[in-house]
């Protein structure tokens, strides 16, 4: 009897565990702070408006910061943690070192939020909201940001090194990385459109402009003027030459003309599976905006810490 009883309750335990996960998942909602911090979205919106007005590139920088956070163990603000003598974070991982920026903007927003709603809003949610506002300020689409994430107390430099796409990635590698996050090739191609804004370091596109065949030679010559074959690693070039501070479809138009700055950019239009979608985006801004917004919602739901997991960090750079 005891034996049968034990095995009879196992399905029930699995059901309870499943229901518990479902309840926790429901905690991520657009209205999560409606009562506890009703001014949150206004605070973030105004702060990002100021930051982008001072430096338009900051919209792209915060968006990239959010991407690099979510693709490493989920959207948990782990990328914001500073190294300490006993802790190695993600900031100095190869894809992030001398590259990620905007930390001080998140610090400022967090301090404003703390002044209004102490110990209430996670750094992960601040970053998610700031990423959207940066895109909107540069003329891009808006999307519903689901909230209720909590902050990680750990980070992984190894995971950052292995989970983030390289600027030298092939199309198959890009698709594989995104599929490992349950994101489709269409999601990947839409999110790559984030490169319609921002800039890249010479070190990330040197190989493409000097060695690749799938590049417009005139475009390559222009880019070589500010990116020598050796040296000048930190020299910057706009990811999209025509309007690097305006969120639009010029990025895809450039790909159709073999003018992608990064090797990984041009892989999206190189006689491969994404060519048709790139052509569609290049002439249909509404299609791109809708797909980008949908993919951002999907990315924002990557493995969030919710419920009692993690913590609400008071300082985004360190655990409480």
């Amino acid at each position: 009897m005891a034996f049968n009883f034990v095995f009879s309750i196992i399905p029930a335990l699995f059901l309870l565990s499943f229901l518990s996960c479902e309840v926790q998942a429901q905690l991520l909602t657009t209205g999560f702070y409606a009562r506890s911090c009703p001014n949150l979205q206004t605070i973030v919106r105004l702060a990002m408006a100021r930051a982008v007005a001072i430096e338009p590139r900051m919209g792209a920088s915060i968006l990239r910061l959010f991407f690099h956070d979510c693709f490493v163990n989920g959207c948990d603000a782990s990328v914001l943690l500073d190294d300490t003598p006993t802790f190695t974070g993600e900031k100095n991982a190869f894809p992030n070192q001398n590259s990620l920026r905007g930390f001080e903007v998140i610090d400022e927003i967090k301090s404003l939020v703390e002044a209004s709603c102490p110990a209430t809003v996670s750094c992960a949610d601040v970053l998610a909201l700031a990423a959207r506002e940066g895109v909107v300020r540069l003329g891009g689409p808006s999307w519903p940001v689901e909230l209720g994430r909590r902050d990680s107390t750990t980070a992984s430099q190894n995971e950052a090194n292995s989970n983030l796409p390289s600027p030298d990635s092939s199309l198959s590698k890009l698709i594989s990385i995104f599929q490992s996050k349950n994101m489709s090739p269409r999601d990947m191609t839409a999110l790559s459109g984030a490169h319609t804004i921002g800039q890249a370091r010479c070190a990330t596109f040197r190989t493409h402009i000097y060695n690749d065949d799938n590049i417009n030679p005139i475009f390559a010559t222009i880019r070589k003027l500010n990116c020598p074959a050796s040296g000048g690693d930190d020299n910057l070039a706009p990811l999209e030459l025509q309007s690097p501070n305006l969120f639009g479809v010029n990025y895809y138009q450039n790909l159709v003309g073999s003018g992608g700055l990064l090797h990984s950019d041009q892989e999206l239009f190189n006689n491969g599976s994404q060519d048709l979608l790139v052509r569609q985006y290049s002439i249909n801004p509404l299609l791109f905006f809708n797909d980008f917004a949908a993919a951002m919602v999907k990315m924002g739901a990557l493995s969030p810490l919710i419920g009692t997991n993690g913590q609400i960090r008071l300082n985004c750079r360190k655990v409480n």
Side-chain angles (χ1 to χ4, degrees):
M1 291 292 293
F3 179 84
N4 290 335
F5 173 75
V6 169
F7 276 86
S8 69
I9 67 171
I10 288 177
L13 291 175
F14 275 112
L15 177 61
L16 288 174
S17 176
F18 173 77
L19 290 175
S20 175
C21 290
E22 286 293 294
V23 170
Q24 282 196 324
Q26 292 171 9
L27 294 178
L28 211 63
T29 171
T30 55
F32 188 84
Y33 299 108
R35 293 186 178 181
S36 60
C37 194
N39 295 324
L40 171 62
Q41 301 211 29
T42 299
I43 294 171
V44 177
R45 183 177 302 114
L46 293 177
M48 281 302 297
R50 289 193 297 271
V52 173
I54 293 170
E55 183 187 8
R57 182 187 172 200
M58 193 53 68
S61 297
I62 298 298
L63 178 59
R64 185 165 182 261
L65 198 56
F66 182 54
F67 175 84
H68 281 230
D69 181 41
C70 291
F71 260 57
V72 181
N73 296 324
C75 308
D76 60 3
S78 59
V79 74
L80 303 178
L81 290 169
D82 284 341
D83 290 353
T84 72
T86 58
F87 173 85
T88 301
E90 299 166 15
K91 289 183 177 180
N92 287 310
F94 183 74
N96 298 336
Q97 191 176 38
N98 300 319
S99 175
L100 285 187
R101 59 196 302 273
F103 297 105
E104 70 286 350
V105 172
I106 299 302
D107 290 340
E108 179 184 354
I109 298 174
K110 175 64 171 175
S111 67
L112 293 170
V113 171
E114 283 296 311
S116 180
C117 317
T120 301
V121 181
S122 67
C123 297
D125 281 344
V126 167
L127 180 55
L129 287 168
R132 179 186 65 184
E133 295 307 323
V135 169
V136 170
R137 296 305 302 180
L138 295 178
S142 184
W143 59 89
V145 177
E146 296 186 326
L147 303 167
R149 302 169 189 81
R150 289 169 65 85
D151 298 324
S152 174
T153 58
T154 62
S156 174
Q157 188 172 110
N158 288 336
E159 291 293 325
N161 281 324
S162 60
N163 278 258
L164 292 167
S166 161
D168 297 322
S169 295
S170 65
L171 179 60
S172 61
K173 180 64 174 178
L174 291 170
I175 291 174
S176 175
I177 290 174
F178 276 77
Q179 286 182 333
S180 73
K181 308 297 181 184
N182 295 317
M183 302 194 77
S184 68
R186 189 181 190 96
D187 294 329
M188 180 270 295
T189 300
L191 288 176
S192 295
H195 286 178
T196 186
I197 52 176
Q199 302 186 53
R201 297 167 60 241
C202 168
T204 64
F205 60 85
R206 177 183 286 117
T207 299
H208 180 51
I209 64 174
Y210 281 94
N211 299 334
D212 283 352
D213 294 326
N214 61 333
I215 186 170
N216 182 302
I218 297 175
F219 172 74
T221 298
I222 294 172
R223 293 277 61 90
K224 288 175 183 177
L225 295 176
N226 195 43
C227 184
S230 62
D233 284 1
D234 292 329
N235 293 353
L236 296 173
L239 284 157
E240 184 262 280
L241 187 61
Q242 297 94 316
S243 53
N245 295 321
L246 178 65
F247 201 96
V249 298
N250 283 339
Y251 167 78
Y252 296 104
Q253 293 172 358
N254 289 347
L255 297 186
V256 172
S258 299
L261 183 62
L262 306 179
H263 175 86
S264 56
D265 287 331
Q266 198 57 55
E267 280 290 282
L268 301 181
F269 192 85
N270 191 27
N271 299 313
S273 63
Q274 300 306 294
D275 282 17
L276 177 58
L277 185 57
V278 169
R279 284 192 184 277
Q280 290 173 336
Y281 286 160
S282 73
I283 60 174
N284 192 335
L286 181 60
L287 177 64
F288 166 49
F289 277 25
N290 286 341
D291 283 1
F292 182 85
M296 286 298 296
V297 172
K298 197 171 179 180
M299 187 176 74
L302 289 178
S303 304
L305 295 173
I306 54 178
T308 58
N309 295 315
Q311 63 180 212
I312 303 298
R313 297 205 301 260
L314 303 181
N315 182 329
C316 294
R317 293 176 180 265
K318 61 183 181 180
V319 299
N320 294 341

